[in-house]
Amino acid sequence: MEGADALTRQLFDLGIPMAIATSSNYESVQKKKILHEDMFARMDLIVCGDDACLKNGKPAPDIYLLADLYFSCLKNVNI
């Protein structure tokens, strides 16, 4: 995750909003956050695979579309 950490740090410093759309369930994401707290803290939004509004998991684009919807509401922008 070294490259991901460096990339998210750079994007965060530039003020670029970021989101994670993962097929992992919420509980699993919470465990991953423990090991990568700084990187997860840079995210504006995290959408998990067990989100109640998610109809179809990957490889369907639904999780990305849902993240875009949530993100648009939070930041008034589309990703």
Side-chain angles (χ1 to χ4, degrees):
M1 288 270 234
E2 198 172 301
D5 186 57
L7 176 62
T8 59
R9 183 177 299 116
Q10 186 174 23
L11 294 172
F12 181 82
D13 290 345
L14 292 170
I16 297 173
M18 294 176 283
I20 293 176
T22 177
S23 57
S24 297
N25 64 35
Y26 179 82
E27 184 178 319
S28 178
V29 171
Q30 294 309 307
K31 291 176 184 175
K32 292 174 187 173
K33 282 174 76 171
I34 293 168
L35 298 175
H36 307 286
E37 287 182 37
D38 291 342
M39 187 176 70
F40 276 83
R42 294 182 203 112
M43 297 298 133
D44 296 283
L45 172 70
I46 301 171
V47 181
C48 300
D50 57 353
D51 187 294
C53 294
L54 184 63
K55 296 198 186 319
N56 300 300
K58 293 178 182 177
D62 299 30
I63 196 163
Y64 304 109
L65 297 172
L66 185 59
D68 183 50
L69 176 66
Y70 289 161
F71 205 66
S72 297
C73 293
L74 289 174
K75 295 289 185 177
N76 201 23
V77 295
N78 288 34
I79 54 174

